[in-house]
Amino acid sequence: NAGVTQTPKFRILKIGQSMTLQCTQDMNHNYMYWYRQDPGMGLKLIYYSVGAGITDKGEVPNGYNVSRSTTEDFPLRLELAAPSQTSVYFCASSYLAEQYFGPGTRLTVT
Amino acid sequence: AQSVTQPDIHITVSEGASLELRCNYSYGATPYLFWYVQSPGQGLQLLLKYFSGDTLVQGIKGFEAEFKRSQSSFNLRKPSVHWSDAAEYFCAVGAGGATNKLIFGTGTLLAVQP
């Protein structure tokens, strides 16, 4: 049981490039989330999903998109990377109100 | 709207000393409350949670927390800190509804002196 896995662990992007952050969970959880973590700011919710085919915006969705075609996968897409998107990104899944986190992706946009 | 305040950005304690990390929340009903720990370069790990019942909850690694409704607080405690407890600690409150969303505080960074 791997839990929540994220790839890549690190990535450097140039301004304007696109990329997809992958997130997979093997716990059959319906609820999944994407957060970004910036120093001194805690975790901010980007997008979330309550099940396959259902997604909704969180607190800071601008510049990001998500899809949820299966229960297991919840990829996060950055279309036109900007320096403001430099951050650490965490994916999580949830069961009975408790969230389980992946190890994170550290993204730098230069 | 729900919110979480962690008033201490950074705390330093000596190894073997007791620890209390403060957390205050704003929520209209009985909240779901959580404490997570994040070691450097790692994801978040759940330390403990409060849903209902006994207001003193025990967690992993010897941590405990007490829910005080009158003070809107959920402070984390440990009687004797170990060097391996150095990490960042986040308090979170459930946002309510059917989405299981969490609202996080800004974190408290704990340093442990030998």
Side-chain angles (χ1 to χ4, degrees), chain A residues 31 33 35 37 40-43 45 48 90 94 96-99 101-103, chain B residues 32 34 36 38 42-44 46 49 51 90 98-102 104-106:
Chain A
Y31 299 91
Y33 312 83
Y35 295 91
Q37 182 182 31
M41 301 296 289
L43 277 77
L45 183 64
Y48 67 98
F90 289 100
S94 176
L96 295 179
E98 180 177 332
Q99 293 195 11
F101 284 82
Chain B
Y32 289 177
F34 306 83
Y36 284 86
Q38 184 182 31
Q42 305 295 314
L44 278 73
L46 181 69
K49 60 191 176 190
F51 287 174
F90 292 94
T99 63
N100 288 357
K101 289 192 290 183
L102 294 180
F104 284 87
T106 52

Side-chain angles (χ1 to χ4, degrees), chain A:
Chain A
N1 193 334
V4 180
T5 57
Q6 293 182 238
T7 56
K9 291 191 186 321
F10 304 94
R11 183 73 185 268
I12 298 174
L13 279 183
K14 294 190 184 305
I15 295 171
Q17 287 185 322
S18 300
M19 78 164 293
T20 298
L21 281 66
Q22 301 292 345
C23 175
T24 300
Q25 53 96 4
D26 63 358
M27 297 174 283
N28 202 34
H29 291 167
N30 284 324
Y31 299 91
M32 295 188 74
Y33 312 83
W34 274 106
Y35 295 91
R36 59 176 289 169
Q37 182 182 31
D38 301 298
M41 301 296 289
L43 277 77
K44 301 293 186 185
L45 183 64
I46 304 171
Y47 271 94
Y48 67 98
S49 169
V50 299
I54 306 170
T55 63
D56 205 349
K57 296 177 180 178
E59 188 179 359
V60 290
N62 292 344
Y64 307 94
N65 276 300
V66 293
S67 60
R68 184 95 183 272
S69 57
T70 67
T71 298
E72 294 77 20
D73 299 307
F74 189 42
L76 178 71
R77 178 86 178 159
L78 284 70
E79 289 294 347
L80 291 171
S84 61
Q85 293 177 306
T86 293
S87 189
V88 181
Y89 292 85
F90 289 100
C91 179
S93 68
S94 176
Y95 178 69
L96 295 179
E98 180 177 332
Q99 293 195 11
Y100 301 80
F101 284 82
T105 294
R106 183 174 295 275
L107 176 67
T108 301
V109 182
T110 63

Side-chain angles (χ1 to χ4, degrees), chain B residues 31-87:
Chain B
Y32 289 177
L33 294 161
F34 306 83
W35 274 100
Y36 284 86
V37 61
Q38 184 182 31
S39 298
Q42 305 295 314
L44 278 73
Q45 180 184 21
L46 181 69
L47 279 177
L48 47 80
K49 60 191 176 190
Y50 172 79
F51 287 174
S52 65
D54 192 346
T55 56
L56 184 64
V57 294
Q58 303 296 323
I60 62 171
K61 304 185 181 188
F63 285 92
E64 67 179 25
E66 186 171 12
F67 170 58
K68 293 185 177 180
R69 183 189 302 276
S70 62
Q71 299 177 19
S72 297
S73 69
F74 189 57
N75 294 349
L76 182 70
R77 300 194 294 249
K78 186 170 185 178
S80 178
V81 169
H82 188 262
W83 63 267
S84 60
D85 293 324

